[in-house]
Amino acid sequence: DIQMTQSPSSLSAFVGDRVTITCRASQGIRNSLGWFQQKPGKAPKSLIYDASRLQSGVPSKFSGSGSGTEFTLTINSLQPEDFATYYCQQYGSYPYTFGPGTKVDIK
Amino acid sequence: EVQLVESGGGLVQPGGSLRLSCVASGFTFSDHYMDWVRQAPGKGLEWVGRIRNKANSHTTEYAASVKGRFTISRDDSKNSLYLQMNSLQTEDTAMYYCARGHHSFDYWGQGTLVTVSS
């Protein structure tokens, strides 16, 4: 199985900051990677697919990059509604696997 | 508007069975792969399994942790996805989400809670 790791596991940031989260796959997955945002008590929301493509309706402040084994999610100009947990997920091969999550909270 | 609505969760004893349902609307259900994803309380996300569309013969994939115990099926005439869970264990306690398997998992339901406890 492909193992996904994320760093950092948590971070504190100010409103207006730019933050970057890194996701690594234990083997190459080309660009078969998605990013999700989850707020407490809510279902995950898809932000990005194919490593860098924005889901419909997702603001352009979110961006993704990378291929192979290393990927990043960048959030520009952090707003109060962006404080959440972010997960990466690979769909390059079965079983699909998620990273452990990165919790972004307010400094 | 795409909507996915899960139901069927509840409290079940270890060794018991439960069937979850997910009703879809707002898109052509029969065209799409569908997935189940779960989340144990306070934990991360775990993919449970997938069922492909009719064009791909409704074939399925499962996580090792549920293979042989869980079965995913669908009824395209009812726009419905199912998860039959047998031999449930305490570690199966989780919120279960259905998701559309397009462009990763582009739409999710609100989830249904399954609690396995004696």
Side-chain angles (χ1 to χ4, degrees):
Chain A
D1 297 2
I2 296 176
Q3 308 303 317
M4 305 301 291
T5 58
Q6 288 182 233
S7 59
S9 56
S10 65
L11 66 90
S12 295
F14 291 106
V15 171
D17 280 353
R18 182 172 76 173
V19 300
T20 298
I21 299 168
T22 299
C23 174
R24 290 184 175 87
S26 61
Q27 44 187 286
I29 56 171
R30 301 173 304 281
N31 68 337
S32 300
L33 186 105
W35 288 98
F36 300 87
Q37 176 194 67
Q38 188 178 34
K39 298 178 181 178
K42 299 294 187 183
K45 174 187 176 183
S46 180
L47 300 175
I48 285 171
Y49 68 97
D50 291 351
S52 62
R53 296 179 181 270
L54 228 53
Q55 288 285 7
S56 175
V58 173
S60 59
K61 63 189 297 182
F62 294 96
S63 63
S65 65
S67 72
T69 61
E70 187 156 335
F71 304 86
T72 59
L73 172 71
T74 298
I75 311 170
N76 287 308
S77 186
L78 209 60
Q79 295 301 304
E81 61 269 22
D82 302 327
F83 292 93
T85 299
Y86 293 85
Y87 295 93
C88 62
Q89 178 246 339
Q90 69 81 19
Y91 47 96
S93 68
Y94 296 106
Y96 292 167
T97 45
F98 288 87
T102 295
K103 186 176 181 180
V104 177
D105 60 23
I106 301 175
K107 184 179 282 187
Chain B
E1 179 194 5
V2 171
Q3 281 199 316
L4 299 169
V5 180
E6 302 94 335
S7 62
L11 175 64
V12 60
Q13 292 188 336
S17 298
L18 209 56
R19 188 199 198 203
L20 307 184
S21 299
C22 169
V23 177
S25 60
F27 65 100
T28 305
F29 179 74
S30 58
D31 285 349
H32 288 273
Y33 294 14
M34 296 296 297
D35 293 80
W36 287 98
V37 177
R38 68 184 181 181
Q39 187 170 36
K43 302 297 185 183
L45 300 167
E46 180 188 16
W47 176 77
V48 171
R50 157 169 285 189
I51 186 165
R52 297 179 178 86
N53 56 13
K54 182 178 180 180
N56 289 279
S57 305
H58 290 165
T59 52
T60 53
E61 304 284 348
Y62 295 96
S65 58
V66 307
K67 196 168 186 178
R69 299 188 300 123
F70 289 11
T71 301
I72 300 174
S73 62
R74 62 193 293 166
D75 184 339
D76 290 347
S77 70
K78 296 181 179 180
N79 287 350
S80 292
L81 173 72
Y82 305 103
L83 180 64
Q84 177 67 44
M85 303 185 294
N86 298 331
S87 303
L88 282 161
Q89 305 163 359
T90 55
E91 51 265 37
D92 295 316
T93 293
M95 184 71 77
Y96 284 75
Y97 297 100
C98 65
R100 190 172 78 166
H102 179 68
H103 288 167
S104 178
F105 301 150
D106 59 352
Y107 287 96
W108 297 60
Q110 86 289 348
T112 188
L113 181 62
V114 173
T115 303
V116 185
S117 174
S118 54

